[in-house]
């Protein structure tokens, strides 16, 4: 969270925090941070496929 506060346009911080939230079972927060990552990441960012997969998985379960 501090990294995002210091550099809000750095996309990877959102993906990492999204993954942490998902690991804690906080799927709504994970979805939010994954979406923020996707909005900020460059077109060819190598984390995009993983984050898109996680977004699809969480969305298909209704974020639960």
């Amino acid at each position: 969270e501090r990294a995002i506060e210091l550099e809000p346009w750095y996309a990877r911080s959102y993906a990492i925090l999204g993954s942490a939230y998902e690991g804690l079972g906080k799927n709504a927060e994970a979805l939010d941070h994954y979406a923020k990552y996707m909005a900020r990441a460059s077109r060819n960012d190598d984390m995009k496929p993983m984050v898109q997969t996680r977004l699809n998985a969480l969305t298909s379960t209704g974020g639960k």
Side-chain angles (χ1 to χ4, degrees):
E1 291 175 351
R2 181 75 172 135
I4 290 170
E5 184 180 316
L6 293 172
E7 187 56 59
W9 291 106
Y10 183 64
R12 286 182 178 237
S13 295
Y14 292 93
I16 293 165
L17 189 53
S19 180
Y21 277 130
E22 188 176 359
L24 293 170
K26 295 183 175 188
N27 293 341
E29 292 88 344
L31 278 168
D32 180 53
H33 283 81
Y34 286 150
K36 288 176 180 175
Y37 162 82
M38 294 299 278
R40 288 166 175 80
S42 66
R43 196 175 315 163
N44 59 349
D45 190 303
D46 62 342
M47 288 184 76
K48 260 189 155 174
M50 182 278 298
V51 172
Q52 187 62 59
T53 298
R54 297 313 312 141
L55 270 170
N56 293 345
L58 290 172
T59 302
S60 72
T61 62
K64 297 183 184 204

